[in-house]
Amino acid sequence: MRRVGIIGVGQSVFGVRGDVTIQELAWEAVGEALEDAGLTQRDIDISIVGSAGTRTYELYPAVPVNEYSGFSEKGPLRVEAACATGSAALAVAYNMVASGFVNIALAIGVEKMNEVDTATSLAVGGRGGNYLWEYHFYGTTFPAYYALYATAHMANFGTTEEQLALVRVKNQKYAARNPKAQFQFEVTVEDVLKSRPVAWPLKLYDCSAITDGAAAAIVASEDAIKKLHIDIPVWIEAIGYASDTSNITRREDYVSLKATKIAAQMAYKKAGIEPRDVEVAEVHDCFTIAEIMAYEDLGFVEKGKGGKFIEEEQSDIGGKVAVNLSGGLLGKGHPLGATGLAMIYELVKQLREERERGRQAPLKRYIALAHNIGGTGHYGYVTILRR
Amino acid sequence: MRRVGIIGVGQSVFGVRGDVTIQELAWEAVGEALEDAGLTQRDIDISIVGSAGTRTYELYPAVPVNEYSGFSEKGPLRVEAACATGSAALAVAYNMVASGFVNIALAIGVEKMNEVDTATSLAVGGRGGNYLWEYHFYGTTFPAYYALYATAHMANFGTTEEQLALVRVKNQKYAARNPKAQFQFEVTVEDVLKSRPVAWPLKLYDCSAITDGAAAAIVASEDAIKKLHIDIPVWIEAIGYASDTSNITRREDYVSLKATKIAAQMAYKKAGIEPRDVEVAEVHDCFTIAEIMAYEDLGFVEKGKGGKFIEEEQSDIGGKVAVNLSGGLLGKGHPLGATGLAMIYELVKQLREERERGRQAPLKRYIALAHNIGGTGHYGYVTILRR
């Protein structure tokens, strides 16, 4: 494979963005990425739009997004992988450069989720798995699905509501310092425990929100990077991918996500690294329980010890691996199509050591990991970056 | 780039397929493709699902489709490019093999369009471009859009309603002999001219229908093909891609599709061939006028002479290039996500000389071309195959 590096990243402010159209929202990320790379639209060979869709009035959003950003002739497709859509868009752009099909590709992730009301947005999300046998008969939505995982984890390993709450506390500490986060405030364990129940044991603050946002990354071949005299490219060392059954009733267990485990093993093997080599990570904390399972499924700690891991501050700066210094999906927000690329945005900033004191991970090996899940483990991506 | 060949193809019967779910429909194509290649699910590294979506109750169709076909762990994304979705899925699978990311990839195109009523299906289609400035204000649907092209072509070049009708007559001649076509009967020029008006000058028989269907192709690296001892691989010589403005009011003219011209030039250049080298083609005849514009935009004949080209039988067997021997979108049907891969299905059969007498193109150079458009020229793909 041709070596592929990331040479520019951008991210919009996340939140309820009724002030912009989906095109304008995407441009906030694209414009920043172009400026970051020192490029113009003419330098980009192809633009890959990731958008889960179905919550905005643009049913086929890639066309207007590309037109508005100045890629009218260069945007031949849209990618969707539910909440892992951004990572899937990056994987497609990466392969198009790695193959030699193009030299410089742009991956855009964008989602407007608030053009429908909250109930509709939740219902549309609930259809992310198998419509007929789960959504239609049981009406399950995402908080209910992840509550099943949380109760199983608590029953099997003694994980506590306080440990779940600590995930939100840590992530809000960083979201409070992230000017692009949806929720820029800190919370205490008590705040989380006292927030209103959504699907026990998950309370409001155990859940990520419904977010509008965009993120983008420009990837280039090693030759193109040399020609452009890019100083600090961040290399994509490996992308691991997996998927899983549509019905979660067919899953092997409810204390881990198989898609994470398969994708992680693939990525570690391709990159030739071990979990302990990862210094900074963005993981898919759509719910607090999801971050705890991710510690385990990614191999940062053994299965069942995720609760202890957060309690001992091993996933914070100064611990074994600094996780979700962006604020995560919980603090920063979770606009489906943008999430995977917003993880890349944060990690590129971290690897370049561009974050302010208190939010910058200490780095020796300069190895970062992005972990992005679609649905309730229906899709899994693990991307390893190295500077 | 690593050389990539097609080693197996499959297609479901096209039509109104209320007898199957979207999963079952996809399997009809996938099962045939696996059998054609002599492979099982274990041999496939990754499965890429193309589905335009929004007309079936499965909002995220890739997951159930992959699960049902036996690719639960190997289906990490869905691709969408409106009516060019099948070609976009092939392009992604092709790049994942060409890059060395995987060795054998499956591209599935599937669409269920009849789970909503015809008016809804048309309305959803009309939103394929720019929602706000065209669909919302003018309510334009696809027959109306292509009628604009037809009237412009008639006004500029004297193209006649009879010439448009001849496209349908030719394509039905072949659809009548295609057991997988939606409409297996022949029509006369008079039948077309007398069919009821939809959007003048387009009458019912000038328009493709609303179709359920699936198609699939398995692509592999040259190394994998050698190891598998595949006798007659069909090589993907080149894929050209383009896109265009969301508002058709911003297009340069209404007698051609720029996306076709850009994609064709890219594909011819990469493959090192001229338009006259193409012996058999499947082109995007969503309406009769679209096939006439395609002759011109693909360089088979000069601009404005498309009407004469069909009249002189130059696009039929025995002419300069045999076009749409599958029956085309008009005769075979047009299930958006499947269409591009159904073109590949037909061309692989043609290049292997597996078609019966009267439907087999005579071949000397063994060069074939697939031309797939999304929206009203919003997306364009030109794929060159060679045996």
Side-chain angles (χ1 to χ4, degrees):
Chain A
M1 297 186 80
R2 298 210 298 178
R3 208 173 174 204
V4 179
I6 300 174
I7 60 172
V9 288
Q11 190 201 311
S12 77
V13 171
F14 281 10
V16 179
R17 295 297 307 274
D19 57 318
V20 286
T21 64
I22 194 167
Q23 296 96 308
E24 292 165 337
L25 186 60
W27 170 249
E28 291 184 20
V30 173
E32 185 187 347
L34 286 170
E35 196 176 348
D36 187 41
L39 299 181
T40 69
Q41 282 91 338
R42 257 176 306 192
D43 301 308
I44 306 294
D45 297 319
I46 200 164
S47 165
I48 305 297
V49 172
S51 191
T54 73
R55 290 171 184 83
T56 163
Y57 54 72
E58 292 287 2
L59 291 189
Y60 304 100
V63 176
V65 163
N66 279 315
E67 178 174 25
Y68 189 82
S69 281
F71 303 105
S72 264
E73 298 180 5
K74 298 174 177 178
L77 59 92
R78 175 173 70 103
V79 167
E80 177 266 311
C83 322
T85 292
S87 295
L90 182 69
V92 169
Y94 165 78
N95 273 289
M96 285 181 167
V97 172
S99 69
F101 190 65
V102 299
N103 292 313
I104 304 180
L106 169 68
I108 307 173
V110 63
E111 208 75 46
K112 283 214 81 179
M113 301 180 71
N114 288 289
E115 285 175 10
V116 294
D117 59 54
T118 301
T120 304
S121 203
L122 271 170
V124 166
R127 296 171 73 152
N130 182 294
Y131 169 73
L132 192 60
W133 298 103
E134 284 179 3
Y135 180 78
H136 187 80
F137 288 162
Y138 301 106
T140 333
T141 62
F142 269 58
Y145 277 123
Y146 274 91
L148 295 174
Y149 286 97
T151 50
H153 210 275
M154 291 163 78
N156 279 275
F157 307 120
T159 304
T160 66
E161 289 178 75
E162 287 75 13
Q163 289 169 339
L164 296 179
L166 283 170
V167 172
R168 185 73 193 240
V169 172
K170 170 179 70 66
N171 293 356
Q172 284 309 129
K173 181 169 71 182
Y174 297 111
R177 303 173 196 182
N178 180 355
K180 294 189 170 180
Q182 182 168 15
F183 302 113
Q184 298 175 35
F185 52 79
E186 297 202 32
V187 297
T188 64
V189 169
E190 201 177 29
D191 290 335
V192 181
L193 294 175
K194 282 191 173 168
S195 63
R196 68 181 163 84
V198 175
W200 190 86
L202 303 179
K203 287 143 311 258
L204 187 67
Y205 282 170
D206 288 295
C207 309
S208 60
I210 293 169
T211 312
D212 307 323
I218 299 170
V219 295
S221 66
E222 191 164 17
D223 280 354
I225 288 171
K226 277 183 192 155
K227 274 184 204 152
L228 291 167
H229 304 290
I230 303 282
D231 282 342
I232 323 179
V234 168
W235 301 102
I236 299 176
E237 293 287 300
I239 297 179
Y241 66 87
S243 53
D244 205 347
T245 62
S246 62
N247 295 31
I248 75 157
T249 51
R250 292 193 186 133
R251 301 288 172 81
E252 285 169 11
D253 65 54
Y254 298 93
V255 292
S256 62
L257 297 183
K258 191 164 74 171
T260 301
K261 292 193 281 187
I262 295 173
Q265 284 158 14
M266 191 187 293
Y268 289 139
K269 192 178 167 193
K270 282 185 187 180
I273 66 163
E274 299 287 329
R276 64 170 172 271
D277 295 324
V278 177
E279 295 173 297
V280 58
E282 291 282 306
V283 314
H284 198 86
D285 61 327
C286 49
F287 297 91
T288 49
I289 182 62
E291 179 162 326
I292 286 178
M293 287 197 295
Y295 299 153
E296 302 164 354
D297 294 340
L298 292 168
F300 296 156
V301 67
E302 64 183 289
K303 181 51 64 189
K305 301 277 177 69
K308 276 273 172 237
F309 199 68
I310 179 81
E311 211 170 84
E312 293 172 355
E313 301 184 359
Q314 296 293 359
S315 56
D316 207 340
I317 290 175
K320 288 192 173 161
V321 53
V323 174
N324 284 337
L325 303 185
S326 68
L329 282 58
L330 289 164
K332 185 179 51 184
H334 178 26
L336 312 187
T339 288
L341 284 159
M343 290 174 169
I344 298 300
Y345 175 82
E346 179 64 27
L347 294 175
V348 166
K349 296 281 181 187
Q350 291 285 344
L351 289 174
R352 289 186 195 153
E353 298 178 304
E354 289 175 1
R355 287 302 184 210
E356 70 279 16
R357 198 179 152 80
R359 197 154 79 88
Q360 173 64 50
L363 300 167
K364 285 179 190 162
R365 294 179 295 274
Y366 293 88
I367 296 177
L369 178 148
H371 162 250
N372 192 192
I373 286 292
T376 52
H378 293 99
Y379 297 105
Y381 283 87
V382 172
T383 304
I384 313 268
L385 305 180
R386 192 196 296 242
R387 191 181 118 189
Chain B
M1 297 185 79
R2 297 211 299 177
R3 208 171 173 206
V4 179
I6 300 174
I7 62 171
V9 288
Q11 189 201 311
S12 77
V13 171
F14 282 10
V16 179
R17 296 296 309 273
D19 58 318
V20 287
T21 65
I22 194 167
Q23 296 96 308
E24 293 165 336
L25 187 60
W27 170 250
E28 292 184 19
V30 173
E32 185 187 347
L34 286 170
E35 197 178 344
D36 187 41
L39 300 180
T40 70
Q41 282 92 338
R42 257 177 306 193
D43 302 307
I44 305 295
D45 298 320
I46 199 163
S47 165
I48 305 297
V49 172
S51 191
T54 72
R55 290 171 183 86
T56 162
Y57 53 72
E58 292 288 2
L59 290 188
Y60 304 100
V63 176
V65 162
N66 279 315
E67 178 174 24
Y68 189 82
S69 282
F71 304 104
S72 265
E73 297 180 5
K74 298 174 177 178
L77 60 91
R78 176 173 69 104
V79 166
E80 178 266 310
C83 323
T85 292
S87 294
L90 181 69
V92 170
Y94 164 80
N95 273 289
M96 286 182 167
V97 172
S99 69
F101 191 65
V102 298
N103 292 314
I104 304 181
L106 169 68
I108 307 174
V110 62
E111 208 74 47
K112 282 213 81 179
M113 301 180 71
N114 288 291
E115 285 175 8
V116 295
D117 60 53
T118 300
T120 304
S121 203
L122 270 169
V124 166
R127 295 171 73 152
N130 184 294
Y131 170 72
L132 192 61
W133 297 105
E134 283 178 6
Y135 180 78
H136 187 81
F137 288 162
Y138 302 106
T140 330
T141 62
F142 269 58
Y145 277 123
Y146 274 92
L148 295 174
Y149 285 98
T151 49
H153 211 276
M154 289 163 79
N156 280 276
F157 306 121
T159 304
T160 65
E161 290 179 75
E162 287 75 12
Q163 288 169 339
L164 296 178
L166 283 169
V167 171
R168 185 72 193 240
V169 172
K170 168 179 71 66
N171 293 356
Q172 285 309 127
K173 182 170 70 180
Y174 297 111
R177 303 174 196 183
N178 181 354
K180 294 188 169 179
Q182 182 167 16
F183 303 113
Q184 297 174 36
F185 52 79
E186 297 201 33
V187 296
T188 64
V189 168
E190 200 177 29
D191 290 335
V192 181
L193 294 177
K194 282 191 174 170
S195 63
R196 67 183 164 83
V198 174
W200 191 87
L202 303 178
K203 289 149 300 267
L204 187 68
Y205 281 171
D206 288 294
C207 308
S208 60
I210 293 169
T211 313
D212 306 325
I218 299 171
V219 295
S221 67
E222 191 164 16
D223 279 353
I225 288 171
K226 276 182 192 156
K227 274 183 203 153
L228 291 166
H229 305 291
I230 302 282
D231 282 342
I232 323 179
V234 168
W235 300 103
I236 298 176
E237 292 287 300
I239 297 179
Y241 65 88
S243 52
D244 205 347
T245 62
S246 62
N247 295 31
I248 74 158
T249 51
R250 292 193 186 132
R251 301 288 172 81
E252 286 169 11
D253 65 54
Y254 298 94
V255 293
S256 63
L257 297 183
K258 191 163 75 169
T260 300
K261 292 193 281 187
I262 294 173
Q265 282 158 15
M266 192 187 292
Y268 290 137
K269 192 178 168 193
K270 283 185 187 180
I273 64 162
E274 299 287 329
R276 64 170 172 272
D277 295 324
V278 177
E279 294 173 297
V280 58
E282 291 280 307
V283 313
H284 197 86
D285 60 327
C286 50
F287 297 90
T288 50
I289 182 63
E291 179 162 327
I292 286 177
M293 288 197 296
Y295 299 152
E296 300 164 355
D297 295 340
L298 292 168
F300 296 156
V301 68
E302 64 183 287
K303 181 52 64 189
K305 302 275 176 70
K308 275 272 173 240
F309 199 69
I310 179 79
E311 212 171 82
E312 293 171 355
E313 301 184 357
Q314 295 294 357
S315 57
D316 206 339
I317 290 176
K320 288 192 173 162
V321 52
V323 174
N324 284 338
L325 303 185
S326 68
L329 282 58
L330 290 164
K332 185 179 52 185
H334 179 27
L336 313 187
T339 288
L341 284 160
M343 290 173 169
I344 299 300
Y345 176 82
E346 179 64 28
L347 294 175
V348 167
K349 296 282 183 187
Q350 290 286 344
L351 288 174
R352 289 186 194 154
E353 297 179 305
E354 290 175 0
R355 286 303 185 207
E356 70 278 18
R357 197 178 152 82
R359 198 153 79 88
Q360 172 65 51
L363 301 168
K364 285 179 188 161
R365 294 179 295 274
Y366 293 88
I367 296 176
L369 178 150
H371 162 250
N372 192 192
I373 286 293
T376 52
H378 293 98
Y379 296 106
Y381 283 88
V382 172
T383 304
I384 312 269
L385 306 180
R386 192 196 296 241
R387 190 181 121 191

mmCIF file of all heavy atoms in Angstrom, chain B residues 82-113:
data_model
loop_
_atom_site.group_PDB
_atom_site.id
_atom_site.type_symbol
_atom_site.label_atom_id
_atom_site.label_comp_id
_atom_site.label_asym_id
_atom_site.label_seq_id
_atom_site.Cartn_x
_atom_site.Cartn_y
_atom_site.Cartn_z
ATOM 1 N N ALA B 82 -27.070 8.368 -5.329
ATOM 2 C CA ALA B 82 -28.364 8.402 -6.017
ATOM 3 C C ALA B 82 -28.432 7.237 -7.018
ATOM 4 O O ALA B 82 -28.111 6.105 -6.650
ATOM 5 C CB ALA B 82 -28.604 9.766 -6.653
ATOM 6 N N CYS B 83 -28.771 7.498 -8.276
ATOM 7 C CA CYS B 83 -28.945 6.414 -9.262
ATOM 8 C C CYS B 83 -27.611 5.813 -9.700
ATOM 9 O O CYS B 83 -27.587 4.827 -10.439
ATOM 10 C CB CYS B 83 -29.711 6.921 -10.478
ATOM 11 S SG CYS B 83 -31.004 8.097 -10.080
ATOM 12 N N ALA B 84 -26.489 6.410 -9.297
ATOM 13 C CA ALA B 84 -25.161 5.874 -9.636
ATOM 14 C C ALA B 84 -24.565 5.095 -8.459
ATOM 15 O O ALA B 84 -23.367 4.799 -8.442
ATOM 16 C CB ALA B 84 -24.222 7.000 -10.054
ATOM 17 N N THR B 85 -25.400 4.759 -7.506
ATOM 18 C CA THR B 85 -24.936 4.105 -6.278
ATOM 19 C C THR B 85 -24.185 2.799 -6.549
ATOM 20 O O THR B 85 -23.158 2.516 -5.918
ATOM 21 C CB THR B 85 -26.151 3.864 -5.365
ATOM 22 O OG1 THR B 85 -26.637 5.133 -4.905
ATOM 23 C CG2 THR B 85 -25.802 3.009 -4.162
ATOM 24 N N GLY B 86 -24.660 1.999 -7.478
ATOM 25 C CA GLY B 86 -24.009 0.719 -7.778
ATOM 26 C C GLY B 86 -22.589 0.908 -8.275
ATOM 27 O O GLY B 86 -21.671 0.181 -7.890
ATOM 28 N N SER B 87 -22.390 1.905 -9.133
ATOM 29 C CA SER B 87 -21.044 2.185 -9.659
ATOM 30 C C SER B 87 -20.136 2.716 -8.558
ATOM 31 O O SER B 87 -18.936 2.417 -8.534
ATOM 32 C CB SER B 87 -21.114 3.219 -10.789
ATOM 33 O OG SER B 87 -21.808 2.678 -11.885
ATOM 34 N N ALA B 88 -20.696 3.507 -7.659
ATOM 35 C CA ALA B 88 -19.908 4.039 -6.545
ATOM 36 C C ALA B 88 -19.466 2.901 -5.624
ATOM 37 O O ALA B 88 -18.325 2.883 -5.152
ATOM 38 C CB ALA B 88 -20.731 5.071 -5.771
ATOM 39 N N ALA B 89 -20.348 1.925 -5.397
ATOM 40 C CA ALA B 89 -19.987 0.770 -4.563
ATOM 41 C C ALA B 89 -18.863 -0.017 -5.230
ATOM 42 O O ALA B 89 -17.912 -0.454 -4.573
ATOM 43 C CB ALA B 89 -21.205 -0.121 -4.330
ATOM 44 N N LEU B 90 -18.956 -0.175 -6.545
ATOM 45 C CA LEU B 90 -17.882 -0.876 -7.267
ATOM 46 C C LEU B 90 -16.574 -0.097 -7.151
ATOM 47 O O LEU B 90 -15.509 -0.689 -6.930
ATOM 48 C CB LEU B 90 -18.248 -1.054 -8.750
ATOM 49 C CG LEU B 90 -17.194 -1.806 -9.570
ATOM 50 C CD1 LEU B 90 -17.114 -3.275 -9.162
ATOM 51 C CD2 LEU B 90 -17.447 -1.682 -11.072
ATOM 52 N N ALA B 91 -16.644 1.227 -7.273
ATOM 53 C CA ALA B 91 -15.433 2.057 -7.194
ATOM 54 C C ALA B 91 -14.765 1.915 -5.824
ATOM 55 O O ALA B 91 -13.534 1.857 -5.725
ATOM 56 C CB ALA B 91 -15.770 3.528 -7.478
ATOM 57 N N VAL B 92 -15.561 1.832 -4.772
ATOM 58 C CA VAL B 92 -14.996 1.678 -3.420
ATOM 59 C C VAL B 92 -14.360 0.294 -3.277
ATOM 60 O O VAL B 92 -13.229 0.161 -2.802
ATOM 61 C CB VAL B 92 -16.072 1.925 -2.344
ATOM 62 C CG1 VAL B 92 -15.572 1.523 -0.961
ATOM 63 C CG2 VAL B 92 -16.484 3.395 -2.345
ATOM 64 N N ALA B 93 -15.067 -0.745 -3.710
ATOM 65 C CA ALA B 93 -14.520 -2.113 -3.632
ATOM 66 C C ALA B 93 -13.226 -2.216 -4.445
ATOM 67 O O ALA B 93 -12.236 -2.800 -3.989
ATOM 68 C CB ALA B 93 -15.558 -3.109 -4.141
ATOM 69 N N TYR B 94 -13.251 -1.636 -5.632
ATOM 70 C CA TYR B 94 -12.084 -1.625 -6.540
ATOM 71 C C TYR B 94 -10.880 -0.980 -5.861
ATOM 72 O O TYR B 94 -9.778 -1.517 -5.873
ATOM 73 C CB TYR B 94 -12.501 -0.859 -7.797
ATOM 74 C CG TYR B 94 -11.406 -0.396 -8.717
ATOM 75 C CD1 TYR B 94 -10.812 -1.280 -9.615
ATOM 76 C CD2 TYR B 94 -11.008 0.937 -8.735
ATOM 77 C CE1 TYR B 94 -9.827 -0.843 -10.490
ATOM 78 C CE2 TYR B 94 -10.030 1.383 -9.612
ATOM 79 C CZ TYR B 94 -9.442 0.487 -10.487
ATOM 80 O OH TYR B 94 -8.470 0.921 -11.357
ATOM 81 N N ASN B 95 -11.096 0.172 -5.229
ATOM 82 C CA ASN B 95 -9.979 0.866 -4.576
ATOM 83 C C ASN B 95 -9.453 0.109 -3.366
ATOM 84 O O ASN B 95 -8.253 0.151 -3.088
ATOM 85 C CB ASN B 95 -10.390 2.283 -4.184
ATOM 86 C CG ASN B 95 -10.157 3.250 -5.318
ATOM 87 O OD1 ASN B 95 -9.015 3.567 -5.645
ATOM 88 N ND2 ASN B 95 -11.224 3.684 -5.965
ATOM 89 N N MET B 96 -10.338 -0.573 -2.645
ATOM 90 C CA MET B 96 -9.891 -1.324 -1.471
ATOM 91 C C MET B 96 -9.027 -2.519 -1.873
ATOM 92 O O MET B 96 -8.142 -2.922 -1.129
ATOM 93 C CB MET B 96 -11.091 -1.742 -0.627
ATOM 94 C CG MET B 96 -11.655 -0.539 0.119
ATOM 95 S SD MET B 96 -13.052 -0.972 1.173
ATOM 96 C CE MET B 96 -13.176 0.547 2.161
ATOM 97 N N VAL B 97 -9.280 -3.064 -3.068
ATOM 98 C CA VAL B 97 -8.418 -4.137 -3.579
ATOM 99 C C VAL B 97 -7.155 -3.535 -4.215
ATOM 100 O O VAL B 97 -6.045 -4.010 -3.958
ATOM 101 C CB VAL B 97 -9.180 -5.010 -4.595
ATOM 102 C CG1 VAL B 97 -8.234 -5.995 -5.284
ATOM 103 C CG2 VAL B 97 -10.309 -5.758 -3.898
ATOM 104 N N ALA B 98 -7.332 -2.503 -5.009
ATOM 105 C CA ALA B 98 -6.185 -1.888 -5.706
ATOM 106 C C ALA B 98 -5.141 -1.373 -4.710
ATOM 107 O O ALA B 98 -3.947 -1.405 -4.980
ATOM 108 C CB ALA B 98 -6.670 -0.751 -6.603
ATOM 109 N N SER B 99 -5.599 -0.917 -3.544
ATOM 110 C CA SER B 99 -4.680 -0.359 -2.542
ATOM 111 C C SER B 99 -3.898 -1.435 -1.808
ATOM 112 O O SER B 99 -2.858 -1.159 -1.215
ATOM 113 C CB SER B 99 -5.472 0.453 -1.511
ATOM 114 O OG SER B 99 -6.266 -0.418 -0.712
ATOM 115 N N GLY B 100 -4.437 -2.661 -1.793
ATOM 116 C CA GLY B 100 -3.842 -3.711 -0.972
ATOM 117 C C GLY B 100 -4.478 -3.816 0.412
ATOM 118 O O GLY B 100 -4.059 -4.619 1.238
ATOM 119 N N PHE B 101 -5.508 -3.014 0.664
ATOM 120 C CA PHE B 101 -6.231 -3.055 1.942
ATOM 121 C C PHE B 101 -6.854 -4.435 2.134
ATOM 122 O O PHE B 101 -6.838 -4.990 3.227
ATOM 123 C CB PHE B 101 -7.308 -1.971 1.915
ATOM 124 C CG PHE B 101 -8.005 -1.671 3.218
ATOM 125 C CD1 PHE B 101 -7.316 -1.136 4.292
ATOM 126 C CD2 PHE B 101 -9.372 -1.882 3.355
ATOM 127 C CE1 PHE B 101 -7.977 -0.830 5.487
ATOM 128 C CE2 PHE B 101 -10.041 -1.582 4.532
ATOM 129 C CZ PHE B 101 -9.335 -1.051 5.605
ATOM 130 N N VAL B 102 -7.438 -4.971 1.058
ATOM 131 C CA VAL B 102 -7.974 -6.339 1.051
ATOM 132 C C VAL B 102 -7.624 -6.983 -0.290
ATOM 133 O O VAL B 102 -7.175 -6.293 -1.215
ATOM 134 C CB VAL B 102 -9.522 -6.358 1.225
ATOM 135 C CG1 VAL B 102 -9.931 -5.766 2.563
ATOM 136 C CG2 VAL B 102 -10.215 -5.647 0.073
ATOM 137 N N ASN B 103 -7.851 -8.291 -0.401
ATOM 138 C CA ASN B 103 -7.551 -8.995 -1.656
ATOM 139 C C ASN B 103 -8.790 -9.319 -2.483
ATOM 140 O O ASN B 103 -8.736 -9.334 -3.703
ATOM 141 C CB ASN B 103 -6.778 -10.278 -1.359
ATOM 142 C CG ASN B 103 -5.393 -9.972 -0.837
ATOM 143 O OD1 ASN B 103 -4.685 -9.131 -1.390
ATOM 144 N ND2 ASN B 103 -5.005 -10.627 0.244
ATOM 145 N N ILE B 104 -9.887 -9.596 -1.798
ATOM 146 C CA ILE B 104 -11.127 -9.943 -2.508
ATOM 147 C C ILE B 104 -12.276 -9.162 -1.867
ATOM 148 O O ILE B 104 -12.496 -9.250 -0.663
ATOM 149 C CB ILE B 104 -11.429 -11.454 -2.444
ATOM 150 C CG1 ILE B 104 -10.232 -12.254 -3.010
ATOM 151 C CG2 ILE B 104 -12.708 -11.781 -3.200
ATOM 152 C CD1 ILE B 104 -10.447 -13.769 -3.020
ATOM 153 N N ALA B 105 -12.971 -8.389 -2.678
ATOM 154 C CA ALA B 105 -14.066 -7.558 -2.168
ATOM 155 C C ALA B 105 -15.336 -7.821 -2.962
ATOM 156 O O ALA B 105 -15.282 -8.128 -4.157
ATOM 157 C CB ALA B 105 -13.697 -6.078 -2.258
ATOM 158 N N LEU B 106 -16.450 -7.690 -2.262
ATOM 159 C CA LEU B 106 -17.760 -7.859 -2.881
ATOM 160 C C LEU B 106 -18.452 -6.504 -2.915
ATOM 161 O O LEU B 106 -18.453 -5.789 -1.911
ATOM 162 C CB LEU B 106 -18.583 -8.835 -2.034
ATOM 163 C CG LEU B 106 -20.078 -8.970 -2.335
ATOM 164 C CD1 LEU B 106 -20.316 -9.616 -3.685
ATOM 165 C CD2 LEU B 106 -20.760 -9.788 -1.232
ATOM 166 N N ALA B 107 -19.011 -6.142 -4.062
ATOM 167 C CA ALA B 107 -19.866 -4.949 -4.147
ATOM 168 C C ALA B 107 -21.288 -5.416 -4.401
ATOM 169 O O ALA B 107 -21.544 -6.165 -5.344
ATOM 170 C CB ALA B 107 -19.402 -4.035 -5.273
ATOM 171 N N ILE B 108 -22.194 -5.003 -3.513
ATOM 172 C CA ILE B 108 -23.617 -5.351 -3.635
ATOM 173 C C ILE B 108 -24.397 -4.071 -3.902
ATOM 174 O O ILE B 108 -24.208 -3.084 -3.197
ATOM 175 C CB ILE B 108 -24.171 -5.963 -2.320
ATOM 176 C CG1 ILE B 108 -23.323 -7.142 -1.834
ATOM 177 C CG2 ILE B 108 -25.629 -6.366 -2.473
ATOM 178 C CD1 ILE B 108 -23.754 -7.683 -0.447
ATOM 179 N N GLY B 109 -25.264 -4.101 -4.889
ATOM 180 C CA GLY B 109 -26.191 -2.987 -5.108
ATOM 181 C C GLY B 109 -27.603 -3.505 -4.932
ATOM 182 O O GLY B 109 -27.960 -4.526 -5.523
ATOM 183 N N VAL B 110 -28.379 -2.836 -4.105
ATOM 184 C CA VAL B 110 -29.742 -3.334 -3.863
ATOM 185 C C VAL B 110 -30.681 -2.171 -3.591
ATOM 186 O O VAL B 110 -30.302 -1.177 -2.961
ATOM 187 C CB VAL B 110 -29.759 -4.358 -2.689
ATOM 188 C CG1 VAL B 110 -29.311 -3.730 -1.380
ATOM 189 C CG2 VAL B 110 -31.130 -5.011 -2.544
ATOM 190 N N GLU B 111 -31.900 -2.302 -4.090
ATOM 191 C CA GLU B 111 -32.895 -1.261 -3.842
ATOM 192 C C GLU B 111 -34.279 -1.856 -3.816
ATOM 193 O O GLU B 111 -34.651 -2.628 -4.712
ATOM 194 C CB GLU B 111 -32.830 -0.221 -4.980
ATOM 195 C CG GLU B 111 -33.255 1.167 -4.558
ATOM 196 C CD GLU B 111 -32.185 1.849 -3.696
ATOM 197 O OE1 GLU B 111 -31.006 1.814 -4.079
ATOM 198 O OE2 GLU B 111 -32.538 2.401 -2.640
ATOM 199 N N LYS B 112 -35.037 -1.508 -2.774
ATOM 200 C CA LYS B 112 -36.466 -1.793 -2.765
ATOM 201 C C LYS B 112 -37.164 -0.448 -2.857
ATOM 202 O O LYS B 112 -37.079 0.366 -1.944
ATOM 203 C CB LYS B 112 -36.878 -2.531 -1.491
ATOM 204 C CG LYS B 112 -36.512 -4.010 -1.544
ATOM 205 C CD LYS B 112 -37.526 -4.877 -0.799
ATOM 206 C CE LYS B 112 -38.732 -5.143 -1.676
ATOM 207 N NZ LYS B 112 -39.725 -6.017 -0.978
ATOM 208 N N MET B 113 -37.839 -0.210 -3.982
ATOM 209 C CA MET B 113 -38.437 1.098 -4.239
ATOM 210 C C MET B 113 -39.948 1.074 -4.121
ATOM 211 O O MET B 113 -40.582 2.118 -4.170
ATOM 212 C CB MET B 113 -38.042 1.588 -5.634
ATOM 213 C CG MET B 113 -36.539 1.704 -5.806
ATOM 214 S SD MET B 113 -36.064 2.290 -7.452
ATOM 215 C CE MET B 113 -36.581 4.006 -7.364
#
